[in-house]
Amino acid sequence: MKAIQIPRSPDNDYTQQAAAERRQFIEQQSGASLHHVGQYSFDPGSLPGNIENFTGIVQMPLGFAGPVRVNGEHAQGDFFVPMATTEGTLVASYSRGMKLTREAGGITTTVVDDAMQRSPVYVFENARQARDFAHWLLTRFSDIKAAAETTTSVGKLRNIEQYPASKMIYLRFNYTTGDAAGQNMCGKATYAACQWINAHYKGPISRYFLSGNMDTDKKHSQLNTLHSRGKRVIAEITLPRTLLQERMRTTPEAMYAARMASQLGGLMAGAVHNGVHPANGIASVFIATGQDEANVAESHASLVYAEITPEGDYYYSVTLPSLIVATYGGGTGLATQRECLETMDCYGAGKAHKLAEIIAATVLCGEISLGAAVVSEEWVSSHDELGRNRP
């Protein structure tokens, strides 16, 4: 029996006609209507490299939160932040946090590291052979770097970490990737580097694999929390006591007590980070701006720190150790995603660190807003008011 196949055009599969044929096929196979899926405004010819079997568009509601005031090294000023979500109260909550932090003078943001990885593994007959190989690698870094960088005009090999285990050497090639997220860039560059290594190393190598999974691509890991993957960006603010009392109906002491209780609860549950809900803000901004949505798995890891200052105010910071964002390439150039980036002046070259700072500031606003809602016992009532779409 011949398998039923989704229609494809051998000449040009990115046309309105090809998409319409696929919609008709799926409707016939499923009995469902794809009327709304077929409503879109851009040319399917812009999609090669972004999707296969293009059939239509899944539309998500888009709202803007803000403005958020960012006192960064790359993002400076007030920004309205695009957020694509189907969760009621989300945009309102982030906007509430943005209003509070804006009245406090804005959020200071700092990008402290920037690296993307690919992690091959080399296997030998025994640990001593692996050790000899590791020593040789250190002497040939400049040659390996040159080989890797023949594949890219943007990516730069920064360093190679080594992790020996058994008769294997796990390597982490760390690159800077400009304004691209860079996973594919790093994969291609590391493949070229490994081909050079395989051709020039005179000792025995049993085998190698381009990925040994120590980059933990699109998966959370403690290694990336410590060493960073993407941008490591910190957002911080000191909230005056009177402002917390007037705007959030709570105090620094109550906020701090809730934070300590939350951290202990998360520890007992085995949580991988101590943030409140960073994935909410990151995912909604990622979808709106054309980021790879699977990178939320790594990017959402957050390290929150708070203290009551000697003056009785509330210092609060969020560190995002593995925020993977792009302002060029991937989905950022698609019509609606590019428009969203342009509203923040974050599309194109030289803007990735700016976008990272805005997202980190956005995450901080969401953490403060939700935390205050829990402490002031307004969490449930706000969801009842804004988060219900049932009669």
Side-chain angles (χ1 to χ4, degrees):
M1 182 177 179
K2 186 176 180 180
I4 301 175
Q5 295 184 336
I6 296 174
R8 292 183 58 83
S9 170
D11 299 322
N12 182 1
D13 207 38
Y14 293 91
T15 64
Q16 292 189 8
Q17 180 180 352
E21 291 176 358
R22 280 188 281 271
R23 288 196 300 277
Q24 184 179 21
F25 170 81
I26 295 298
E27 287 176 338
Q28 291 172 347
Q29 295 297 315
S30 66
S33 170
L34 295 180
H35 170 74
H36 291 288
V37 167
Q39 309 301 309
Y40 53 89
S41 60
F42 59 84
D43 182 2
S46 66
L47 294 177
N50 290 114
I51 196 168
E52 299 75 44
N53 293 345
F54 172 68
T55 304
I57 296 296
V58 173
Q59 301 179 71
M60 283 191 68
L62 174 71
F64 282 82
V68 59
R69 181 161 297 169
V70 185
N71 304 321
E73 295 174 304
H74 306 276
Q76 299 172 355
D78 291 353
F79 300 91
F80 291 95
V81 180
M83 308 184 82
T85 182
T86 58
E87 181 183 352
T89 76
L90 188 81
V91 175
S93 179
Y94 279 84
S95 289
R96 187 173 84 130
M98 290 174 181
K99 181 179 180 181
L100 173 74
T101 57
R102 190 172 65 251
E103 292 181 357
I107 300 165
T108 300
T109 53
T110 309
V111 178
V112 296
D113 198 9
D114 185 359
M116 180 52 64
Q117 295 81 24
R118 185 58 63 203
S119 296
V121 57
Y122 277 81
V123 184
F124 301 87
E125 292 181 1
N126 55 60
R128 292 180 183 177
Q129 288 182 1
R131 181 187 62 190
D132 292 342
F133 174 75
H135 290 167
W136 178 84
L137 281 180
L138 295 175
T139 69
R140 304 305 296 269
F141 175 76
S142 60
D143 296 316
I144 297 169
K145 175 179 170 67
E149 293 176 8
T150 59
T151 66
T152 172
S153 61
V154 175
K156 304 297 179 186
L157 180 60
R158 196 178 73 178
N159 66 299
I160 304 173
E161 301 168 32
Q162 297 187 6
Y163 297 93
S166 184
K167 57 183 180 179
M168 294 168 281
I169 292 289
Y170 290 84
L171 305 173
R172 271 171 56 100
F173 282 63
N174 289 287
Y175 298 85
T176 57
T177 58
D179 293 292
Q183 289 100 321
N184 292 336
M185 181 193 302
C186 293
K188 185 176 181 180
T190 304
Y191 178 74
C194 288
Q195 294 304 299
W196 186 94
I197 291 170
N198 296 343
H200 289 83
Y201 184 61
K202 302 306 180 183
I205 297 174
S206 296
R207 65 177 66 90
Y208 101 99
F209 302 103
L210 183 59
S211 176
N213 201 31
M214 279 200 74
D215 45 23
T216 59
D217 189 15
K218 298 180 180 176
K219 299 175 286 293
H220 169 78
S221 73
Q222 191 63 27
L223 184 61
N224 287 343
T225 300
L226 293 173
H227 287 273
S228 303
R229 180 169 167 85
K231 277 65 174 170
R232 190 181 193 94
V233 56
I234 300 168
E236 55 188 340
I237 193 169
T238 298
L239 296 166
R241 170 182 292 274
T242 55
L243 197 60
L244 269 178
Q245 291 173 327
E246 294 171 3
R247 295 288 183 265
M248 298 300 192
R249 292 165 291 283
T250 187
T251 64
E253 288 81 7
M255 292 286 287
Y256 186 76
R259 166 119 305 269
M260 293 301 99
S262 172
Q263 290 189 171
L264 180 57
L267 177 65
M268 292 172 63
V272 297
H273 62 82
N274 69 338
V276 182
H277 68 148
N280 255 334
I282 291 172
S284 62
V285 177
F286 271 23
I287 294 170
T289 60
Q291 310 302 312
D292 187 333
E293 63 275 10
N295 287 334
V296 174
E298 298 160 87
S299 298
H300 85 284
S302 62
L303 306 172
V304 175
Y305 176 78
E307 65 182 30
I308 301 173
T309 70
E311 296 75 25
D313 299 323
Y314 194 48
Y315 170 86
Y316 195 92
S317 71
V318 175
T319 300
L320 299 178
S322 299
L323 181 62
I324 303 172
V325 294
T327 57
Y328 184 79
T332 64
L334 298 179
T336 55
Q337 288 80 356
R338 176 170 178 169
E339 288 178 356
C340 286
L341 284 169
E342 287 176 339
T343 64
M344 300 179 289
D345 188 29
C346 282
Y347 177 75
K351 302 295 177 66
H353 283 187
K354 180 179 182 180
L355 179 60
E357 290 188 341
I358 293 172
I359 292 176
T362 299
V363 168
L364 183 147
C365 292
E367 300 292 280
I368 288 288
S369 181
L370 178 55
V374 171
V375 172
S376 62
E377 298 188 350
E378 298 174 346
W379 186 22
V380 172
S381 60
S382 64
H383 273 271
D384 276 344
E385 180 181 354
L386 298 174
R388 294 172 63 89
N389 59 5
R390 302 180 300 278

